[in-house]
Amino acid sequence: MNDRRVVITGLGAVTPLGLRSIDETWLRLKRGESGIGPITLFDASDLPVRIAGEVKGFDPFDTLDRRTARRTSRGSQLALAAAQQAVADARLDFAAIKSDRIGVSIGTGVGGLDKTIEGLESIADGSTRANPFGIVSSLNNMPASLIASQFKAQGPTSTFVTACASGAQAIGEAAEVIKRGWAEVMIAGGTDALILRVSIVGFNAMGGLSKRNDDPAHASRPFDANRDGLVLSEGSAIVILEEYSSAIKRGAKIYAELSGYASSSDAYNIAAPDPNGQGAALAMKLAIDRSGLSINGIDYIHAHGTATKANDVSETNAIKLVFGDLAYHVPISSIKSMIGHPMGAAGAIGVAVTAKVIEEGIIPPTINYSSIDPECDLDVVPNIAREVEVNAALINAFGFGGQNACVVIAKTNLAKV
């Protein structure tokens, strides 16, 4: 079954730059707009970091019934909304597909952490009364479970929890499920909702957050010499993956082919990336090799690009290890400069956005770039979107604990047959 090809036929995204479709986010990314602003989801006035990338105006009751919305975490709500968009975009007729041939694969970093905190606070005073759904709604597998229930998908269902690599890994592994012949359709992606007091306090204690509270739009500065940390955000992206011949048969729109995927570990540190980038480079090289393409065939790299001192240097070194001198000629960019870092959703949003890059031939910029860091000296598409024909692209996603996941997507006529 290894000759089975996997294509992307539907996209959905809920991000700090867009609520209702991938096109909202995509339009604002091309314009170089920022979705970073003051925190409004809770009172952060006493904290040293008071900015984040919130999904503004999100109302779960717009897409979910009241009972489901009340019983689910914000991460699950975001994922359900993105899944609805992706399914609608793919124009899937679930009645025409056996339910056991439809699967779900979702990545998340913290799952329903908000529900965990809610439950702890409810008994902090010694109370013995608790929300009967509190524990269940906080579980990491709830986004996948709820999506499967909504669309009656009874095929392979998995949850991947590999920190910031989760979304990309969930999509890559979903493609493998189709290649093995275990499913015809996979609803795959990532979700996270980390704009919580504990998250801000915790990541700030690590020294990982930008403190540009007075200038949030310019706070996230990937690869820039003056970067001072990441900006936490939230969001979800879901893609529909299908077996190629089935998609062709039903006349589906194909955004791109998912032609390569790999994961690896730094085996280095629970928080810091390997400064040499060797673990990340291994995942990048394997993903490209498995795609059937050479490094010369990669026209764009969707960078992990968190805007921390350590990550950006490590990723730059990894790209140089894989691409050699060509590293200076392949454009890379980080949309975290505009949406912040949504952790487990980051790689999935990267795949969805890169599918639009291939479709339109436009690379979104790395905004807030003004000063060259000698250790990050690659072409980061600074500040202004660039029109370039992109036939194949590499998406990087690197997580805490040294977890790495990389995906290659390409126009169907270039991918390995």
Side-chain angles (χ1 to χ4, degrees), residues 135-278:
I135 295 296
V136 174
S137 62
S138 69
L139 297 177
N140 287 326
N141 68 307
M142 279 303 105
S145 175
L146 290 163
I147 289 171
S149 295
Q150 177 154 10
F151 297 104
K152 309 302 179 188
Q154 295 184 302
T157 301
S158 300
T159 298
F160 294 86
V161 185
T162 50
C164 320
S166 302
Q169 186 154 11
I171 292 172
E173 294 290 345
E176 295 301 311
V177 169
I178 294 176
K179 289 181 179 180
R180 288 194 291 266
W182 295 359
E184 296 299 319
V185 174
M186 291 294 291
I187 304 169
T191 188
D192 252 336
L194 284 101
I195 305 178
L196 304 163
R197 187 177 182 88
V198 67
S199 304
I200 297 295
V201 171
F203 278 105
N204 181 63
M206 291 174 62
L209 298 184
S210 172
K211 294 182 175 65
R212 289 187 169 91
N213 296 305
D214 297 330
D215 190 15
H218 297 93
S220 182
R221 310 176 70 86
F223 303 108
D224 186 83
N226 296 315
R227 64 192 184 279
D228 69 333
L230 61 85
V231 176
L232 277 179
S233 68
E234 59 180 355
S236 177
I238 303 293
V239 302
I240 303 301
L241 302 180
E242 290 188 62
E243 195 278 323
Y244 174 73
S245 62
S246 295
I248 291 294
K249 184 177 180 179
R250 75 176 185 87
K253 173 181 177 177
I254 294 176
Y255 286 97
E257 180 163 356
L258 199 157
S259 56
Y261 155 69
S263 64
S264 70
S265 174
D266 285 359
Y268 176 77
N269 186 281
I270 64 169
D274 178 354
N276 296 317
Q278 292 178 336

Side-chain angles (χ1 to χ4, degrees), residues 6-340:
V6 180
V7 292
I8 300 170
T9 59
L11 305 174
V14 181
T15 79
L17 289 177
L19 276 177
R20 296 170 184 82
S21 72
I22 184 68
D23 291 334
E24 290 183 14
T25 296
W26 176 238
L27 178 63
R28 297 183 68 188
L29 286 173
K30 290 188 293 183
R31 291 173 177 170
E33 297 182 20
S34 173
I36 310 301
I39 293 172
T40 64
L41 292 173
F42 66 92
D43 182 4
S45 60
D46 63 330
L47 298 183
V49 174
R50 300 182 294 279
I51 56 174
E54 296 181 348
V55 177
K56 303 170 186 68
F58 178 72
D59 185 346
F61 299 121
D62 288 343
T63 53
L64 305 176
D65 65 82
R66 300 192 70 82
R67 176 181 293 183
T68 301
R70 287 197 304 269
R71 291 178 175 177
T72 57
S73 68
R74 186 169 173 90
S76 289
Q77 293 166 357
L78 295 171
L80 282 163
Q84 290 172 357
Q85 293 175 22
V87 169
D89 185 47
R91 303 191 180 192
L92 277 171
D93 179 8
F94 283 107
I97 309 169
K98 292 180 63 176
S99 60
D100 64 353
R101 301 294 291 166
I102 305 168
V104 180
S105 179
I106 303 297
T108 185
V110 300
L113 181 58
D114 54 335
K115 287 296 183 181
T116 301
I117 293 170
E118 184 181 291
L120 291 171
E121 290 177 340
S122 72
I123 61 170
D125 61 356
S127 172
T128 58
R129 295 177 61 85
N131 178 351
F133 294 97
I135 295 296
V136 174
S137 62
S138 69
L139 297 177
N140 287 326
N141 68 307
M142 279 303 105
S145 175
L146 290 163
I147 289 171
S149 295
Q150 177 154 10
F151 297 104
K152 309 302 179 188
Q154 295 184 302
T157 301
S158 300
T159 298
F160 294 86
V161 185
T162 50
C164 320
S166 302
Q169 186 154 11
I171 292 172
E173 294 290 345
E176 295 301 311
V177 169
I178 294 176
K179 289 181 179 180
R180 288 194 291 266
W182 295 359
E184 296 299 319
V185 174
M186 291 294 291
I187 304 169
T191 188
D192 252 336
L194 284 101
I195 305 178
L196 304 163
R197 187 177 182 88
V198 67
S199 304
I200 297 295
V201 171
F203 278 105
N204 181 63
M206 291 174 62
L209 298 184
S210 172
K211 294 182 175 65
R212 289 187 169 91
N213 296 305
D214 297 330
D215 190 15
H218 297 93
S220 182
R221 310 176 70 86
F223 303 108
D224 186 83
N226 296 315
R227 64 192 184 279
D228 69 333
L230 61 85
V231 176
L232 277 179
S233 68
E234 59 180 355
S236 177
I238 303 293
V239 302
I240 303 301
L241 302 180
E242 290 188 62
E243 195 278 323
Y244 174 73
S245 62
S246 295
I248 291 294
K249 184 177 180 179
R250 75 176 185 87
K253 173 181 177 177
I254 294 176
Y255 286 97
E257 180 163 356
L258 199 157
S259 56
Y261 155 69
S263 64
S264 70
S265 174
D266 285 359
Y268 176 77
N269 186 281
I270 64 169
D274 178 354
N276 296 317
Q278 292 178 336
L282 175 61
M284 293 165 64
K285 183 179 185 305
L286 287 173
I288 296 169
D289 288 347
R290 291 169 184 171
S291 74
L293 300 170
S294 68
I295 58 171
N296 293 292
I298 300 299
D299 302 310
Y300 167 59
I301 300 172
H302 182 99
H304 188 57
T306 63
T308 63
K309 291 290 186 181
N311 173 87
D312 293 1
V313 172
S314 175
E315 184 168 16
T316 299
N317 289 338
I319 293 170
K320 290 177 180 178
L321 283 174
V322 175
F323 288 83
D325 291 340
L326 189 62
Y328 294 95
H329 303 286
V330 58
I332 72 173
S333 68
S334 172
I335 65 169
K336 290 182 181 69
S337 59
M338 293 175 273
I339 67 168

